[in-house]
Amino acid sequence: MKLSTFILDDMERILTCWDEYAQTMSPAADEMSLHALRDHSEAMLRAVALDIDSPQSKREQREKSLGESDEDGSSAASEHGHLRHASNFTLIQLSSEFRALRASVLRLWLKHVETVTPDVLDDVIRFNEAIDQALAESIVTYAARAAHSRDLFDAILGHDLRGPLSAMSLSGELLTRGGMPAAKAVEMGARVTSSARYMASMVDDMLEFARTRLGSAPIPLHLRSASIEAICSGAISDAAAMHPRSRFEMQLEGGPEASIDADRVRRLLMNLLGNAGQHGTPDRPVILHAQAGESETIFRVINEGRDIPSGHLRNIFEPLVRLNSEKEDDGIRTTSLGLGLHIAREIAAAHGGSITAESANGQTTFTVRLPVRLPEPAPAG
């Protein structure tokens, strides 16, 4: 049986092997559907089968060996690279998929080959060439998307730092002129404080983001019994300093304390409150509800405003995901590196907990669940 015929006739069995391997790509594949894991795989295999049977010149063979292609980025393999980047697969995981696909197809097909003839060897060579070409196309698109993300991050960082820096510079210049009324000086001081806290928040997000990306190391925790009210009050104070036009309210129930990393959870809540203050309706309060129970501590951040589209909810905790806010539509400039929700998710995960988002009927709710954990014992000596 020709290899191209085998690929087309046994497509489902090959795709099943693809699914089984793709599901091992943790953590990217942990919550992906079968449809998402299979994305463009059948189209790629059909293209490979067609390529095996197509006439090929020496020049075309050489171009394939060098990874060169005339594709315009719209092939199934190119789209696969784009979507795998969007799904947070690593480049190693992407290339491993093709290695596993190559091994699966050849292993299954060779069971039907009784004698190794020149035609069989030619099929193997053409198959490997086609797989290498598909891998090259996927990597090119993946690398292009990765470079775009880095450039976007740099552009956002420069853009978002300019605003608070300009506010601080202008306020400092006005304060040094002297003769300013006390009330105006207080206003200028508050503006400097707000800008400084905003910039500090951005720096903290960048540091946490770098920590999670370098070796996929989890965020370290220092668990201790902490006051829920103090954590929530601190988070609201931080968020209010960055979003002075927003109103924040706190609701507490259950136990007064929980065993958590107070500093990390305060940052988690500040990020959620800041997001709600940025995207919520300006004249409606942002609610922070906290409940400390025997088995878990639950925090909910609730704001009214435009619903988040369901398509965005699926990847809202990924880095560099930014949504337009109602305040931007009203001419009020808002800024965000697109890291706050990602950092919030990482802090929740480090606690062994979870964070989810719901948005419907003009209300958006972020729910954080942190299981009860005993504080780490103090080091001996």
Side-chain angles (χ1 to χ4, degrees):
M1 177 187 293
K2 283 186 62 62
L3 179 51
S4 57
T5 302
F6 168 77
I7 291 174
L8 296 176
D9 289 350
D10 281 51
M11 181 70 70
E12 187 59 34
R13 186 155 56 128
I14 295 172
L15 292 177
T16 299
C17 292
W18 174 288
D19 299 337
E20 292 173 352
Y21 187 78
Q23 287 171 343
T24 68
M25 301 299 181
S26 183
D30 289 349
E31 298 182 4
M32 292 178 68
S33 65
L34 181 62
H35 176 75
L37 286 170
R38 278 193 178 187
D39 83 89
H40 292 88
S41 54
E42 181 175 349
M44 281 191 292
L45 284 169
R46 292 188 179 280
V48 166
L50 179 62
D51 187 271
I52 292 173
D53 289 337
S54 300
Q56 177 176 265
S57 66
K58 292 292 184 181
R59 178 174 176 272
E60 290 171 333
Q61 186 179 38
R62 174 176 170 77
E63 288 176 350
K64 284 183 180 178
S65 69
L66 296 175
E68 298 175 357
S69 172
D70 294 330
E71 295 288 348
D72 59 2
S74 61
S75 70
S78 296
E79 287 295 323
H80 181 74
H82 167 77
L83 292 174
R84 283 307 193 237
H85 178 268
S87 299
N88 292 311
F89 275 57
T90 67
L91 190 56
I92 292 176
Q93 289 174 329
L94 173 68
S95 59
S96 295
E97 281 190 299
F98 283 89
R99 184 184 67 237
L101 176 64
R102 186 197 312 267
S104 296
V105 171
L106 291 177
R107 184 180 65 253
L108 293 171
W109 174 60
L110 288 175
K111 293 178 180 179
H112 300 274
V113 175
E114 298 179 356
T115 305
V116 178
T117 64
D119 289 339
V120 169
L121 292 177
D122 184 62
D123 272 3
V124 172
I125 292 172
R126 293 295 302 272
F127 172 73
N128 283 325
E129 289 174 348
I131 289 293
D132 288 341
Q133 183 63 38
L135 173 60
E137 293 170 10
S138 288
I139 288 177
V140 166
T141 307
Y142 182 101
R145 295 299 303 176
H148 173 74
S149 294
R150 290 193 297 270
D151 292 343
L152 177 62
F153 182 88
D154 292 341
I156 293 171
L157 178 61
H159 178 271
D160 287 5
L161 282 176
R162 184 180 301 165
L165 278 174
S166 298
M168 294 175 70
S169 177
L170 177 60
S171 298
E173 182 180 343
L174 293 175
L175 288 171
T176 57
R177 290 179 181 178
M180 179 179 292
K184 192 67 175 178
V186 170
E187 180 184 337
M188 291 293 100
R191 181 176 300 175
V192 171
T193 299
S194 174
S195 297
R197 288 190 178 182
Y198 183 82
M199 293 171 64
S201 173
M202 292 176 63
V203 171
D204 288 341
D205 278 348
M206 291 170 60
L207 291 175
E208 295 288 17
F209 180 62
R211 183 195 300 275
T212 60
R213 289 292 172 170
L214 290 175
S216 300
I219 293 177
L221 299 180
H222 301 285
L223 299 177
R224 64 184 186 275
S225 184
S227 166
I228 296 296
E229 182 176 4
I231 293 172
C232 293
S233 296
I236 286 178
S237 176
D238 294 338
M242 290 188 295
H243 300 278
R245 301 191 186 191
S246 298
R247 180 159 54 97
F248 300 93
E249 297 180 1
M250 180 172 58
Q251 299 174 356
L252 303 177
E253 64 175 284
E257 296 186 342
S259 177
I260 52 181
D261 187 320
D263 293 335
R264 299 290 189 190
V265 174
R266 174 171 171 168
R267 170 141 203 89
L268 181 160
L269 295 176
M270 184 195 71
N271 286 356
L272 295 182
L273 290 167
N275 178 77
Q278 176 170 321
H279 296 287
T281 301
D283 60 348
R284 301 297 300 166
V286 175
I287 306 297
L288 170 56
H289 180 273
Q291 179 181 4
E294 295 183 0
S295 61
E296 65 179 358
T297 304
I298 304 174
F299 299 94
R300 290 186 175 87
V301 175
I302 307 166
N303 70 270
E304 297 181 28
R306 182 184 303 165
D307 291 346
I308 301 173
S310 57
H312 284 96
L313 280 175
R314 288 194 295 270
N315 62 355
I316 198 171
F317 296 106
E318 300 303 327
L320 298 180
V321 173
R322 292 157 56 97
L323 301 175
N324 292 328
S325 72
E326 292 184 3
K327 296 178 182 180
E328 287 174 327
D329 294 340
D330 294 336
I332 300 175
R333 181 176 176 271
T334 59
T335 56
S336 168
L337 276 176
L339 294 179
L341 295 181
H342 174 71
I343 299 303
R345 182 185 66 179
E346 295 301 312
I347 293 174
H351 279 83
S354 65
I355 180 171
T356 57
E358 301 175 56
S359 188
N361 302 318
Q363 179 173 291
T364 296
T365 302
F366 284 85
T367 302
V368 180
R369 296 180 179 273
L370 306 180
V372 170
R373 298 175 62 180
L374 296 177
E376 298 173 354

